[in-house]
Amino acid sequence: MNSIFKWYSENYEKIVTQEITIILSILGVTITIFTVLHSFIINKEIAVKSFEKNIKESKVCPYEYSEMKFGKKYIANSKKLNNHILRIILLSAIVFVIIEFDYLLVKNYYLSFICSLLTILICLYVLSVFFIYIRVYYNKRLMYK
């Protein structure tokens, strides 16, 4: 274990620079995805309310009814994805603050090593969310063929 910390302390500057780059990249991409997906959710909620209004006024059309049901499922799935993305944003921001605090003020190799492990875990979390939603997307797409 000491050999790992020795190697880590020798390469500290490079590792911290890479961590900062990775965390900031994840933050930028996830914030963008979060805002875009949130606007899609809002637009779909407006459309669903419009369909519900038409259905309540007895203007029942099978197309509008199916669009309303699809819209509600879309909103629910999108909100789940947005919750995962929000967690990634919060975790990345916290780790970024800790890395910067450590790099600028403390320079504790153990704390930096823990941040490196957290960065790896965040990357794994991002990949797992990505693959889960890709699999869900392709499974649903195959259902409609």
Side-chain angles (χ1 to χ4, degrees):
M1 194 73 166
N2 284 335
S3 62
I4 293 173
F5 286 115
K6 182 180 178 198
W7 175 84
Y8 192 86
S9 64
E10 291 170 358
N11 296 302
Y12 177 74
E13 296 288 328
K14 292 179 193 174
I15 293 170
V16 169
T17 304
Q18 292 297 318
E19 284 177 4
I20 291 171
T21 303
I22 291 169
I23 290 294
L24 286 178
S25 299
I26 290 173
L27 267 172
V29 170
T30 52
I31 288 172
T32 302
I33 293 171
F34 180 82
T35 54
V36 169
L37 190 58
H38 189 68
S39 69
F40 287 161
I41 291 170
I42 290 172
N43 287 336
K44 191 58 83 169
E45 285 176 339
I46 291 169
V48 166
K49 286 180 184 176
S50 170
F51 291 135
E52 286 176 339
K53 181 182 173 189
N54 287 344
I55 289 170
K56 284 182 183 176
E57 292 175 352
S58 300
K59 298 177 185 173
V60 179
C61 170
Y63 172 76
E64 288 180 342
Y65 185 74
S66 66
E67 279 292 315
M68 183 190 70
K69 286 181 73 173
F70 171 77
K72 286 182 178 182
K73 287 180 184 178
Y74 176 85
I75 291 168
N77 289 335
S78 296
K79 283 184 177 181
K80 285 180 189 176
L81 178 58
N82 241 11
N83 286 336
H84 285 293
I85 292 171
L86 188 60
R87 284 186 202 117
I88 292 168
I89 291 170
L90 293 175
L91 289 171
S92 299
I94 290 169
V95 170
F96 176 73
V97 168
I98 293 170
I99 290 171
E100 285 295 318
F101 173 75
D102 176 54
Y103 184 67
L104 297 175
L105 301 175
V106 180
K107 296 213 185 233
N108 182 340
Y109 296 126
Y110 294 110
L111 180 60
S112 182
F113 184 74
I114 290 170
C115 287
S116 296
L117 294 176
L118 289 173
T119 302
I120 292 168
L121 289 175
I122 289 171
C123 290
L124 292 174
Y125 184 48
V126 168
L127 288 174
S128 69
V129 169
F130 176 74
F131 286 123
I132 287 169
Y133 279 91
I134 289 295
R135 188 183 58 192
V136 167
Y137 170 76
Y138 279 111
N139 284 343
K140 285 185 179 180
R141 203 171 127 203
L142 291 174
M143 281 180 13
Y144 296 116
K145 283 188 174 185

